[in-house]
Amino acid sequence: MNEVLLRSLTPGVLGILVRRGADFAAAEDAVQDALVEAVRVWPDDPPRDPKGWLVTVAWRRFLDATRAETARRRREDLVDEEPAPGPASATDDTLQLYFLCAHPSLTPSSAVALTLRAVGGLTTRQIAQAYLVPEATMAQRISRAKRTVSGVRFDRPGDVATVLRVLYLVFNEGYSGDVDLAAEAIRLTRQLAAAIDHPEVAGLLALMLLHHARRAARTAPDGSLVPLAEQDRGRWDTTLIAEGVTILQLALARDQLGEFQAQAAIAALHADAPTAEETDWVQIVEWYDELAGLTDSPVVRLNRAVAVGEADGPRAGLAALAAVDDSLPRHTAVAAYLHERDGDLTTAARLYAEAAHKAPNLAERDHLTRQAARLNTLRSA
C-alpha cells in the first residue's frame, strides 16, 4: 500500500466533500473510513483512478452516516448530489482547506491542531510532540475542535498567521519526523507567497528553502544523523540557498520583522559559512535575542544556549541553559554537548545516554547512543 499516495490525495478528497455540503467533522470521518477501506482493498484490486475511488467511497460513507441522523428529504437531496463515475477534478484544494480549518470559531492552537490532523496527515502523537504536550491532551484538544466546528459552514476563512503556523509545523515534521511532508509544505508556502504579499509568508518560505537545502547532507548512507558541524557542505543545494537568501533580504528590507524572518536569518548565517568554524555565532546569538523577544519560546531559549556556548564558550552556554526548563525535549542533549565542549567527558557521556532514552525518533536515539559510546571509549583509553 502506497501510504504517500494516500496522504497526497486526502486533502483533495476532503475538499470535494466539504464543497458538496458535508460539514468538516463528518467529511473528515468519512475520508478516514475511505482510507481504511483503501488499505484493505487496493493491494489486491488497485483502482485506475485512486482519487475518484476515494471520493466515491468517502461520499457514500458520509451519506450512510447522514441517513442515520437526518430527515428523509435531506437524505434524498444528498443522494442526488453523489459524484458521477469517472475521473475526479484535478483542482488542488489543499491551501484553501488550510484556511478553512483556521476557522474564526476556533482558537489558533485548536485550529492548528485540527488542520495538522485532518489535512496535514500527522498523527496525534506527532502533533503533541510539536506542541510539547502529552498525547492525551492533544487528543482532547482535537476532539474539542471537531465538536466546535461540527455543523459549521466553512465560509469564513481563518487568518494568515494560523495558516503559517500550520505550514511551519508540517514542514518541521516532514524535515525531522517519520512522514515526508517537507516538500508539500514548501509547495503550499510557494502558493501562498504568490497569492499574498506578506513579509512573514516570505520569511517562512525562505526558512523552509534554507533548511531544505541542507537535507541531503543531514544523514549518512546508513541513515544515521550527521550534525550540522560535520555535514559535507558541498552537498548543500546552493540554488535553494541563493533563492532563500534573496527572498529573505527582500522581506527584511520591509522592516516588519517577524519570527519566521528571524529564524530564516539564523539559517542564512549557517548557510553562508564556508566551514563550521567560520560560522558567525555572535550574530546568530543576536538573532536569537530578537527571536526570543518576538516569541518568548522555550525552544528558542534552548537553541540560544547552544549559540551562546559557541560564541562565548561552553560555560557561558551552560549558564544560559540553566535558565531553560530542564523538562524540555532535547534539553539533556544540549547539556551533554556543552559539558563535552567544557571537557567534562564523564558528565557528558552520562547525559548523552540519558538523552538517548528521551529521543523523539530512532535516528536521534541512535546518534545520541553513539555519542555516549564514543565518550566512554575516550575515557577508558
Side-chain angles (χ1 to χ4, degrees), residues 355-372:
H357 289 292
K358 303 176 181 178
N361 56 64
L362 182 60
E364 191 167 333
R365 185 189 71 188
D366 290 347
H367 170 72
L368 293 168
T369 300
R370 284 193 295 271
Q371 295 295 85

Side-chain angles (χ1 to χ4, degrees), residues 92-104:
D92 184 357
D93 300 299
T94 308
L95 190 58
Q96 179 188 10
L97 282 172
Y98 274 62
F99 273 96
L100 293 178
C101 285
H103 198 272

Side-chain angles (χ1 to χ4, degrees), residues 40-235:
R40 186 182 71 82
V41 172
W42 286 11
D44 298 324
D45 185 20
R48 285 180 296 179
D49 178 17
K51 184 176 180 181
W53 188 98
L54 287 171
V55 168
T56 299
V57 173
W59 185 256
R60 287 174 179 166
R61 293 300 172 91
F62 168 70
L63 291 181
D64 289 342
T66 302
R67 288 189 182 105
E69 300 174 358
T70 60
R72 181 179 61 84
R73 171 171 240 140
R74 179 58 180 154
R75 295 201 303 265
E76 292 175 350
D77 289 342
L78 288 172
V79 170
D80 290 339
E81 296 170 11
E82 180 173 343
S89 168
T91 303
D92 184 357
D93 300 299
T94 308
L95 190 58
Q96 179 188 10
L97 282 172
Y98 274 62
F99 273 96
L100 293 178
C101 285
H103 198 272
S105 64
L106 295 173
T107 64
S109 61
S110 294
V112 171
L114 178 62
T115 312
L116 290 172
R117 181 70 185 90
V119 188
L122 274 65
T123 66
T124 303
R125 175 183 59 81
Q126 290 167 330
I127 302 169
Q129 288 176 350
Y131 269 90
L132 309 178
V133 299
E135 184 175 349
T137 300
M138 183 52 65
Q140 292 174 355
R141 185 178 299 176
I142 294 172
S143 294
R144 285 196 300 269
K146 286 184 177 181
R147 288 195 299 271
T148 299
V149 300
S150 179
V152 171
R153 294 293 298 180
F154 278 65
D155 55 359
R156 291 186 298 156
D159 67 314
V160 174
T162 300
V163 174
L164 288 179
R165 177 62 52 192
V166 175
L167 289 169
Y168 173 70
L169 291 174
V170 169
F171 176 81
N172 281 346
E173 190 60 45
Y175 190 69
S176 62
D178 304 321
V179 180
D180 186 1
L181 296 169
E184 174 69 357
I186 291 174
R187 183 183 71 84
L188 293 173
T189 306
R190 285 190 186 279
Q191 286 186 9
L192 189 59
I196 299 177
D197 184 19
H198 191 297
E200 272 293 83
V201 175
L204 179 59
L205 178 57
L207 174 63
M208 289 179 175
L209 294 175
L210 290 164
H211 276 295
H212 207 59
R214 303 200 303 258
R215 189 167 189 179
R218 291 185 71 246
T219 54
D222 63 359
S224 59
L225 290 181
V226 180
L228 177 61
E230 300 172 18
Q231 289 177 14
D232 177 2
R233 300 186 178 217
R235 299 185 65 197

Side-chain angles (χ1 to χ4, degrees), residues 200 248-249 251-253 255-270 280-295 300 303-304 307:
E200 272 293 83
L248 173 63
Q249 289 173 337
L252 291 175
D255 197 23
Q256 299 175 42
L257 184 63
E259 62 172 300
F260 295 123
Q261 294 169 74
Q263 288 191 55
I266 294 169
L269 286 168
H270 283 297
D280 189 346
W281 286 106
V282 172
Q283 193 173 170
I284 287 176
V285 171
E286 293 174 354
W287 275 111
Y288 270 122
D289 288 339
E290 292 277 3
L291 190 54
L294 290 167
T295 68
V300 169
N303 292 332
R304 179 185 178 278

Side-chain angles (χ1 to χ4, degrees), residues 335-376:
Y337 173 74
L338 292 172
H339 277 290
E340 180 185 356
R341 289 276 321 280
D342 196 37
D344 187 353
L345 301 189
T346 300
T347 300
R350 174 179 59 79
L351 290 173
Y352 275 130
E354 183 180 330
H357 289 292
K358 303 176 181 178
N361 56 64
L362 182 60
E364 191 167 333
R365 185 189 71 188
D366 290 347
H367 170 72
L368 293 168
T369 300
R370 284 193 295 271
Q371 295 295 85
R374 175 180 58 82
L375 293 188
N376 286 326

